Amino acid sequence: MQQNPAETLRRVLPKIREVLHVAGVEMQLTAAVAFLTIQQEESVSIHTYSHSFLHIILQNLEHRDAGVSNAWLETLLAVIEVLPKETIRHEILNPLVSKAQLSQTLQSRLVSCKILGKLANKFETHIIKREILPLVKSLCQDVEYEVRSCMCRQLEHIAQGIGTELTKNVVLPELVELARDEGSSVRLAAFETLVNLLEMFDADDRSQTVLPLVKSFCEKSFKVDESILVSLSFHLGKLCNGLYGIFTPEQHLRFLEFYKKLCTLGLQQENGHNDNQIQLQTLEQEKKYISVRKNCAYNFPAMIVFVDPKNFHLELYSTFFCLCHDPEVPVRYTMAIGLYEVAKLLDSGVYVIHKELVTLLQDDSLEVLDALISHLPEILELMTTGGENSGSESKLLTVPDLIPALTTAEQRAATSLKWRTHEKLLQKYACLPHIISSDQIYYRFLHRMLTIIMTNNVLPVQKAAARTLCVYLRYNRKQEQRHEVIQKLIEQLGQGKSYWNRLRFLDTCEFIMELFSKSFFCKYFFLPVLELTHDPVANVRMKLCYLLPKVKSTLKVPTDKHLLQQLELCIRKLLCQEKDKDVLTIVKRTVLELDRMEISMDAFQKRFYENDLLDQEKEREEQLLLEMEQLEKEKQQNEGRSTSISDKIFEKKRRDSKTSTLSKSISLSVSGSSSSASTSKEGKKSKLVRSHSFSTQALHPKYGNIDKCSNKSSATGYTSSIPGVGKGSMLPFSDDSFRTRSTNISGNAVFSSTASVATSSRNTANSVDQKNNGTKESHSRKMSLKNRKSNS
């Protein structure tokens, strides 16, 4: 048909028509597909197609094999979309009147139902009302339940074709009758069609007709008709939101409780007999219950809308917890797929589900993990920037749990045989710089990526790790860490012993050229890349040659003129010294490509404007990172200075308060000791004055160095308030002793120290008293000698 359609229609098609009468199943199926392909590719005009192929399709619709009949039916339904109305009416609709009669075979009537559903959108309302609706009513009341069920499922398409008014008057009564049918498959079809047509019914129809039917289905689903349970659980979210406006508070609560009951269906099994038949029934029932819980997980976002996201924690969190911890993988898998929708609906309250996110990240099944990481960047972004109402404290709580969960998930994917899941996970982990801090990425993820590049055996996984590593490097906020990573890349990959590592170094450089500015690449990686022109392995040199045009595109003249000379020198060496034929061929091809390339200038040029603008933006961001790092360092230094100053002020105040207490106790002890040494007031004053002068003269030269230290480490009022004690008594009281002791212990220390100081003052006072007594005796002797001389 593609090469010679005219001759094919004239000579080949008649032979096919003859053979199909006696052809087997395989040839029939192949012919049905071929006829459909001819129509889809528009190998002939639609007029020619309907004239040549339509009759053959209609003849084989009622084939005795159900698979063949369905294949020809699919071809016919696809062809009806493009056929003219007149052709459809004469060739398909008119014969359909007789084909839909009870006298025809079951297969013929089933085919008629599906064709009627397709024709409803092809004609005007009055033609549908006059010619199609009578056939529809007749088939809805067919004696065979298969025909009634099939026609019931087509009522949705017919309703869309005839409009709201006819749907209310014709389709809805038929659905109500079919919903009470004796056949369970017919009731199921009626229920699903009702749910799909909810939008076409007004509030009165919903409250008076649809809602009683739905309540009846829900009540019978557990006790009488469990066959509808799976379908009911699948459509429950759509049903609840479709009827939301007509629910009373009591009905709203009843449907919510019904949903919660379905979510835990089968998790609490009753004790029963161990007969084989009962075990078989239990297995079938268990599969059904798993399907119900899976459907509940699918409908969970719709139920959040039903209860309002503000009421999630109160109404649905316990159900959410149960579904995320369900013992069956399909249920948890469905929850993992829908978690992003749940997070979007919760908005500012998304932090509530962070524990379940961690649980699913640590799930035993890799299928669950694979489903979760599809939208992991979006979920994590919502977790950290959930909205204005989500406080920073709740956000910070997610990080300690989140980081171990992410590392565990990666390790589990790495040890499994499902490398595609591992690759996908590493690609999604590139979002982490927007989620957690640069230091956390550096210590927990960045070095892991480097390890994967060097040790993993799967190339797509290595490339994914290399790109994610470059993203981490791009957003790292410490220059020292960046330099360390760059050094490792050059030494362990670019200069690695394994040629495989050197190949991965070139892949990494390609990602760096994509993510970083041209100046960054030229500064750190340009020369290490050129060194690989001397690599002993031909594959490395070959890959480098493919990369050289991109390498040259990073240069800017005249700033990088010396690098351009190095590049040209390396290419000359390759041309002169390369011995491998394949590499030499690629080198020559690369040289021609490099010659055609134009190097961008430092100044903006029109032909490179967009690229230069993008590169300038990257360079500005890199410079901004350096400036931010410098600002953070200065801020930390200022904070350190202010902290040390505040600490000193605090210690000074504390010591002043303790010193004032101490000075009072010491002055009391000194006065007590001096009063015991003498009884007269003049003697007390003279002794205190002498004691002060003595202690000052004796201690000052000895503790001259301590005065300098005390100005820095102690309160100045300490020695001034304790005359005669001197600064040496401060030595036992260090900062550490005050910080490490409790209040009681420090009180005891002050007491004992006070006592020791008081004792020393007593000793000093006694020695002064002895000297005073000695002076008095010598004075009295002098006076007696003078009296004797005068008498003589």
Side-chain angles (χ1 to χ4, degrees):
M1 288 299 297
Q2 290 176 348
Q3 296 174 359
N4 197 344
E7 285 299 308
T8 304
L9 292 175
R10 189 176 69 85
R11 299 174 61 185
V12 178
L13 192 60
K15 296 292 183 182
I16 292 175
R17 186 186 295 111
E18 293 174 8
V19 171
L20 284 176
H21 286 293
V22 292
V25 173
E26 291 294 331
M27 190 172 181
Q28 287 276 357
L29 294 173
T30 307
V33 173
F35 281 26
L36 180 59
T37 305
I38 291 168
Q39 182 270 316
Q40 290 173 342
E41 293 181 353
E42 299 180 355
S43 301
V44 293
S45 65
I46 191 64
H47 176 74
T48 305
Y49 188 91
S50 60
H51 178 72
S52 304
F53 294 94
L54 186 57
H55 290 287
I56 302 174
I57 296 171
L58 292 172
Q59 285 173 4
N60 292 279
L61 275 178
E62 298 179 26
H63 195 277
R64 59 183 177 275
D65 186 277
V68 173
S69 178
N70 288 330
W72 285 111
L73 180 61
E74 287 177 11
T75 302
L76 176 64
L77 296 177
V79 170
I80 286 175
E81 292 287 343
V82 295
L83 287 175
K85 287 184 180 179
E86 286 303 315
T87 304
I88 294 173
R89 187 167 185 176
H90 289 100
E91 299 294 338
I92 300 173
L93 182 57
N94 290 341
L96 204 63
V97 176
S98 61
K99 296 286 185 183
Q101 299 302 316
L102 283 172
S103 57
Q104 296 294 322
T105 63
L106 175 63
Q107 185 67 25
S108 176
R109 302 202 302 276
L110 289 172
V111 168
S112 299
C113 294
K114 294 178 181 178
I115 294 174
L116 284 171
K118 197 71 175 178
L119 295 180
N121 294 320
K122 302 298 293 184
F123 295 101
E124 292 79 6
T125 306
H126 68 276
I127 296 176
I128 296 173
K129 188 177 180 179
R130 186 178 69 249
E131 298 186 18
I132 294 178
L133 285 183
L135 291 175
V136 170
K137 289 182 178 181
S138 172
L139 290 169
C140 283
Q141 298 170 3
D142 196 279
V143 294
E144 298 292 339
Y145 73 89
E146 294 101 324
V147 178
R148 298 196 302 272
S149 175
C150 184
M151 192 65 251
C152 184
R153 293 190 181 278
Q154 299 305 316
L155 289 177
E156 180 184 351
H157 306 295
I158 292 167
Q160 292 170 356
I162 63 177
T164 307
E165 191 63 33
L166 277 176
T167 299
K168 180 179 180 180
N169 296 330
V170 179
V171 175
L172 185 57
E174 292 294 333
L175 280 173
V176 172
E177 188 175 347
L178 290 169
R180 301 189 180 107
D181 197 276
E182 59 184 10
S184 60
S185 62
V186 181
R187 295 195 301 271
L188 180 61
F191 169 74
E192 292 177 355
T193 306
L194 268 174
V195 174
N196 294 331
L197 290 177
L198 273 177
E199 295 178 356
M200 298 191 71
F201 302 136
D202 56 24
D204 292 337
D205 291 331
R206 292 180 190 180
S207 59
Q208 296 173 11
T209 307
V210 179
L211 183 57
L213 281 175
V214 171
K215 288 170 67 178
S216 174
F217 278 122
C218 293
E219 290 169 1
K220 293 178 180 178
S221 59
F222 282 106
K223 299 175 183 178
V224 182
D225 194 5
E226 279 199 354
S227 61
I228 205 173
L229 201 56
V230 176
S231 178
L232 182 59
S233 64
F234 181 76
H235 291 95
L236 192 60
K238 188 175 182 180
L239 195 61
C240 288
N241 286 285
L243 298 174
Y244 181 80
I246 63 169
F247 278 149
T248 63
E250 184 183 352
Q251 290 170 340
H252 186 282
L253 182 61
R254 184 180 298 175
F255 273 86
L256 180 59
E257 291 300 321
F258 180 73
Y259 172 76
K260 291 180 181 179
K261 186 176 180 182
L262 291 179
C263 289
T264 57
L265 190 65
L267 295 180
Q268 296 176 352
Q269 296 288 346
E270 295 181 1
N271 294 327
H273 300 287
N274 293 325
D275 297 335
N276 292 333
Q277 187 177 359
I278 294 177
Q279 286 181 353
L280 184 63
Q281 290 176 356
T282 305
L283 286 172
E284 291 297 323
Q285 198 174 38
E286 188 177 350
K287 289 180 181 178
K288 185 185 296 183
Y289 290 165
I290 292 171
S291 298
V292 169
R293 298 201 304 273
K294 179 184 175 182
N295 290 338
C296 287
Y298 167 77
N299 279 302
F300 194 83
M303 296 308 294
I304 293 178
V305 176
F306 181 62
V307 301
D308 194 325
K310 295 177 182 177
N311 301 323
F312 169 78
H313 194 273
L314 182 64
E315 299 286 354
L316 281 176
Y317 178 74
S318 58
T319 304
F320 179 72
F321 178 86
C322 290
L323 290 173
C324 288
H325 291 82
D326 195 277
E328 298 299 328
V329 172
V331 181
R332 302 197 305 273
Y333 174 84
T334 309
M335 287 303 295
I337 289 176
L339 192 68
Y340 175 49
E341 293 297 326
V342 173
K344 282 197 298 184
L345 288 170
L346 293 179
D347 193 28
S348 59
V350 69
Y351 63 90
V352 175
I353 63 169
H354 80 277
K355 291 182 180 178
E356 282 65 40
L357 171 64
V358 170
T359 300
L360 292 174
L361 278 170
Q362 296 174 331
D363 197 277
D364 294 334
S365 172
L366 278 175
E367 294 177 9
V368 176
L369 179 63
D370 188 79
L372 182 64
I373 60 179
S374 298
H375 290 289
L376 186 63
E378 295 86 351
I379 295 170
L380 292 178
E381 187 176 357
L382 287 170
M383 286 283 181
T384 52
T385 59
E388 296 178 358
N389 296 328
S390 58
S392 58
E393 294 179 1
S394 62
K395 293 178 191 176
L396 292 173
L397 289 174
T398 64
V399 177
D401 297 332
L402 183 63
I403 294 174
L406 291 171
T407 54
T408 303
E410 189 279 320
Q411 288 167 2
R412 286 189 57 256
T415 54
S416 71
L417 297 176
K418 296 183 178 180
W419 63 265
R420 286 182 179 84
T421 300
H422 193 201
E423 178 196 12
K424 184 179 175 182
L425 184 139
L426 293 175
Q427 290 170 348
K428 299 297 181 181
Y429 275 18
C431 73
L432 292 182
H434 306 292
I435 309 300
I436 56 180
S437 70
S438 175
D439 282 338
Q440 288 171 325
I441 289 174
Y442 177 76
Y443 290 111
R444 300 301 295 271
F445 296 98
L446 196 147
H447 293 286
R448 174 62 183 161
M449 296 300 150
L450 186 60
T451 304
I452 292 170
I453 297 170
M454 297 181 64
T455 59
N456 199 283
N457 296 324
V458 183
L459 180 58
V461 173
Q462 287 180 307
K463 286 190 174 182
R467 195 182 191 285
T468 303
L469 172 66
C470 293
V471 173
Y472 292 166
L473 185 63
R474 173 78 175 78
Y475 292 100
N476 188 281
R477 300 182 66 174
K478 291 187 178 179
Q479 192 171 4
E480 184 182 349
Q481 293 177 357
R482 287 197 296 274
H483 286 168
E484 182 188 344
V485 175
I486 291 167
Q487 194 67 24
K488 284 186 177 181
L489 286 173
I490 294 170
E491 291 177 357
Q492 298 180 18
L493 292 181
Q495 300 169 1
K497 294 181 180 179
S498 170
Y499 86 97
W500 190 254
N501 286 344
R502 299 196 295 276
L503 288 173
R504 297 296 73 77
F505 176 71
L506 293 174
D507 289 330
T508 307
C509 288
E510 201 166 352
F511 293 132
I512 286 171
M513 284 186 277
E514 175 192 342
L515 296 168
F516 289 82
S517 65
K518 294 177 180 179
S519 58
F520 182 90
F521 177 81
C522 291
K523 182 178 180 180
Y524 296 107
F525 291 96
F526 192 92
L527 293 177
V529 166
L530 292 187
E531 287 178 8
L532 293 177
T533 53
H534 309 292
D535 198 277
V537 179
N539 283 353
V540 178
R541 301 195 301 275
M542 192 181 297
K543 188 174 182 68
L544 174 62
C545 291
Y546 283 121
L547 195 63
L548 284 178
K550 287 187 177 181
V551 171
K552 186 178 179 181
S553 68
T554 62
L555 298 176
K556 288 183 180 180
V557 176
T559 305
D560 301 322
K561 190 175 180 180
H562 63 291
L563 296 178
L564 180 61
Q565 292 172 351
Q566 291 286 335
L567 176 63
E568 291 172 350
L569 181 63
C570 290
I571 292 170
R572 287 194 205 100
K573 286 183 179 179
L574 280 172
L575 283 170
C576 298
Q577 300 175 5
E578 185 58 57
K579 297 177 181 178
D580 190 281
K581 294 180 180 179
D582 296 328
V583 177
L584 189 59
T585 304
I586 295 168
V587 170
K588 291 177 181 178
R589 194 186 309 160
T590 305
V591 168
L592 294 174
E593 188 176 351
L594 291 173
D595 288 339
R596 290 193 297 268
M597 284 181 65
E598 294 185 28
I599 302 176
S600 60
M601 311 293 287
D602 286 336
F604 275 75
Q605 295 171 284
K606 287 186 178 179
R607 57 181 177 276
F608 299 126
Y609 182 76
E610 290 184 4
N611 292 334
D612 288 346
L613 200 64
L614 183 62
D615 183 68
Q616 190 183 50
E617 184 64 28
K618 291 178 182 177
E619 198 166 344
R620 189 184 295 117
E621 289 176 2
E622 291 162 8
Q623 186 62 33
L624 185 62
L625 282 174
L626 293 173
E627 292 174 3
M628 287 173 65
E629 182 184 2
Q630 187 62 31
L631 287 172
E632 284 179 4
K633 284 182 179 177
E634 292 176 1
K635 185 179 178 182
Q636 288 174 359
Q637 289 175 357
N638 293 335
E639 285 178 355
R641 288 171 186 170
S642 61
T643 305
S644 61
I645 292 168
S646 61
D647 286 346
K648 287 178 181 178
I649 294 170
F650 178 73
E651 289 295 328
K652 182 178 179 180
K653 289 180 179 179
R654 187 164 60 178
R655 286 190 176 191
D656 284 345
S657 62
K658 288 184 177 290
T659 305
S660 60
T661 318
L662 190 60
S663 60
K664 290 178 183 178
S665 60
I666 291 176
S667 60
L668 289 173
S669 63
V670 170
S671 62
S673 61
S674 59
S675 63
S676 62
S678 174
T679 55
S680 65
K681 291 181 180 179
E682 293 178 359
K684 288 179 185 177
K685 289 179 181 179
S686 62
K687 287 176 183 176
L688 283 171
V689 172
R690 289 172 184 172
S691 172
H692 175 69
S693 62
F694 174 78
S695 61
T696 306
Q697 292 173 2
L699 295 175
H700 181 72
K702 187 175 180 180
Y703 296 103
N705 294 330
I706 296 175
D707 290 341
K708 297 177 183 178
C709 299
S710 63
N711 290 333
K712 297 181 181 179
S713 60
S714 64
T716 53
Y718 188 90
T719 52
S720 61
S721 61
I722 313 175
V725 175
K727 295 166 187 173
S729 59
M730 291 167 56
L731 290 175
F733 299 93
S734 64
D735 291 345
D736 293 332
S737 63
F738 275 111
R739 288 172 186 166
T740 55
R741 295 175 185 176
S742 63
T743 309
N744 295 332
I745 296 173
S746 60
N748 295 334
V750 171
F751 179 79
S752 60
S753 304
T754 308
S756 63
V757 173
T759 309
S760 63
S761 63
R762 285 194 195 102
N763 295 334
T764 309
N766 292 334
S767 62
V768 172
D769 289 341
Q770 289 173 2
K771 290 186 178 182
N772 289 339
N773 293 332
T775 356
K776 287 178 180 180
E777 288 175 359
S778 60
H779 181 68
S780 60
R781 285 175 184 172
K782 288 178 182 178
M783 289 298 292
S784 60
L785 286 171
K786 286 180 181 180
N787 291 331
R788 285 175 185 175
K789 287 179 181 180
S790 62
N791 291 330
S792 62

